[in-house]
């Protein structure tokens, strides 16, 4: 059984107890991760606070060099990290390898992002300069769907700004973060990055700790609300990247087989376990049957299997509770009148495999339409009037992203402009880039990641004003 250590104060730290890590492709335990104690968390946070004293005022060229060194080191460890991601998360090895390069890309991007003071006023009355100062100790908490990419989206801007960090992965996918954390910490002074692992209680200890000045959280809406509540007594800064229920709207001029490819992968990438993936599709009556059939055809053809095997496109669902949730959402929809054009059932094999599923005759009021399914099952809903479809797409507490599919880009862009969400796409979905602001409206989150906006989220903004002609 492989054991993995935490990184606290620059050194490898073991634990008195361990928890099991399951390979979702087999359903079997294949490794154990350390169960961080409250005392060890206190040590990690104290170490981060000590490290902040010098890291927070270090020259930004030092921090940029560290970020670029981290990017290079992650690429050098690509295969080792990708295999861990596949074993604990389930995604195909090629997708895991891509996740590693994407993570490195975030570090490289922030290594170059300007951080210089900006002069806002320089005239006879005075000079105003605007600077970004680091916040202090950051608690970074990640979910299980993209364990490495999501840590990159937090760590890279937090480190550039001069913060120090305690990072906690999901208990379902701790290993790749523990391994990447050791690599990343090796490019930083001791204590600048500490990586701890444990269950949900560990996350709650982190968010309630008085030394922490900022919580950067990615996960579910329910936990996000608990994090916001935990942050409020100390008025800690928060960035919350939460769930989504993205709608795709197909316009009546679309070519069904062309849009089906984009919509299918917009929904089924990472086996549907993606916050900003398509979760509902609105199709006009005229195109309904053709779009359903084109999506179903792709679902039937998708190669599902163990992510370590060649040619696999979709892996298992990551964990048993999520597998049971997706199974029950699909079963409820079928019992409620939806029809499966493809899939509809768990697969008869070990692990947490579910058939890629296309449901039609779905409607609002079904849980799979109203809630975030976060798995390989996509409901298709009919519409007859476009205004009504837009209103239905927006009638959700979520607001992460949405897309419009059409042969007429300008028309689609006018519809996209009416979607209430942080990212509105035309003829595509799932475009998350280091330079593009990413964040959710409504219950999908608070704050923004990526680009200068994501950097500002890890900074205290300070105006330095000096009047002229008074001395
Ligand atoms: P989750 O909320 O259950 O867990 C996320 C993390 O929070 C884990 O590390 C968990 O241990 C920790 N945690 C749990 N309870 C906590 C508490 N009380 N205080 C602090 N931390 C706590 O989410 P999940 O099931 O791991 O991930 C799936 C969810 O994440 C989906 O809803 C998905 O949409 C969302 N997600 C959002 C984004 C985004 O950028 N918007 C990206 C990926 C995933």
């Amino acid at each position: 059984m492989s054991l993995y250590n935490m990184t606290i104060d620059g050194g490898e730290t073991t634990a008195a107890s361990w928890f099991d890590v399951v390979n979702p492709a087999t359903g079997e335990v294949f490794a154990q991760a350390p169960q961080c104690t409250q005392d060890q968390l206190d040590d990690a946070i104290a170490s981060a606070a000590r490290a902040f004293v010098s890291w927070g005022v270090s020259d930004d060229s030092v921090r940029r060099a560290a970020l670029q060194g981290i990017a290079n080191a992650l690429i050098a460890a690509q295969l080792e990290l990708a295999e861990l991601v596949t074993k604990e998360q389930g995604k195909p090895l090629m997708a895991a390898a891509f996740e590693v390069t994407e993570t490195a890309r975030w570090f490289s991007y922030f290594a170059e992002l300007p951080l210089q003071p900006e002069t806002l006023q320089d005239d006879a009355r005075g000079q105003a300069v605007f600077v970004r100062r680091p916040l202090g100790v950051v608690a970074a908490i990640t979910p299980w769907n993209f364990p490495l990419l999501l840590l990159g989206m937090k760590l890279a801007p937090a480190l550039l700004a001069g913060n120090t960090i305690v990072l906690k992965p999901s208990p379902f996918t701790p290993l790749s973060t523990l391994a990447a954390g050791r690599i990343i910490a090796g490019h930083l002074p001791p204590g600048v990055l500490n990586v701890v692992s444990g269950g949900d209680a560990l996350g709650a200890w982190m968010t309630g700790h008085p030394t922490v000045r900022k919580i950067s959280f990615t996960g579910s809406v329910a936990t996000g609300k608990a994090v916001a509540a935990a942050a409020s007594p100390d008025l800690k800064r928060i960035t919350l990247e939460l769930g989504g229920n993205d709608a795709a709207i197909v316009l009546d001029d679309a070519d069904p087989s062309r849009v089906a490819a984009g919509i299918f992968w917009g929904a089924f990438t990472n086996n549907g376990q993606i916050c900003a993936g398509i979760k509902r599709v609105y199709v006009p009556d005229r195109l309904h049957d053709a779009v359903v059939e084109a999506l179903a055809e792709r679902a039937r053809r998708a190669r599902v299997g163990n992510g370590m095997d060649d040619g696999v496109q979709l892996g298992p669902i990551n964990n048993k509770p999520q597998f049971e949730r997706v199974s029950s959402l699909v079963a409820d929809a079928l019992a409620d009148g939806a029809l499966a054009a493809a899939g509809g059932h768990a697969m008869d094999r070990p692990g947490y495999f579910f058939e890629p599923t296309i449901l039609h005759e779905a409607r609002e009021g079904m849980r799979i339409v109203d809630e975030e399914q976060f798995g390989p099952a996509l409901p298709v809903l009919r519409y007859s009037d476009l205004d009504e479809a837009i209103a239905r797409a927006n009638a959700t507490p979520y607001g992460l992203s949405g897309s419009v599919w059409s042969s007429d880009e300008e028309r689609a862009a006018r519809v996209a402009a009416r979607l209430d969400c942080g990212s509105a796409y035309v003829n595509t979905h799932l475009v998350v880039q280091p330079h593009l602001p990413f964040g959710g409206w409504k219950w999908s989150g608070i704050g923004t990641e990526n680009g200068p906006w994501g950097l500002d989220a890890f900074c205290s903004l300070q105006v330095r004003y000096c009047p002229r002609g008074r001395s």
Side-chain angles (χ1 to χ4, degrees), residues 140-146 150 153-154 168-173 198-208 215 217-224 226-227 230 240-245 273-276 279 318-319 322 372 374 398 400 438-440 444-445 449:
I141 301 177
T142 52
W144 45 258
N145 59 340
F146 285 89
L150 296 174
M153 285 171 66
K154 298 182 185 321
K168 186 197 95 64
S170 164
F172 293 112
T173 54
D200 296 348
L202 177 61
W205 296 340
M206 290 166 72
T207 57
I215 305 163
F217 172 82
T218 301
S220 63
V221 170
T223 310
V227 168
L240 304 177
E241 292 292 356
L242 308 179
N245 195 2
Q273 302 161 116
I274 198 157
C275 53
K279 310 264 168 64
N318 171 257
N319 58 71
Q322 185 60 17
E372 182 188 38
F374 215 64
Y398 295 95
L400 199 48
F438 179 74
S444 289
E449 292 194 298

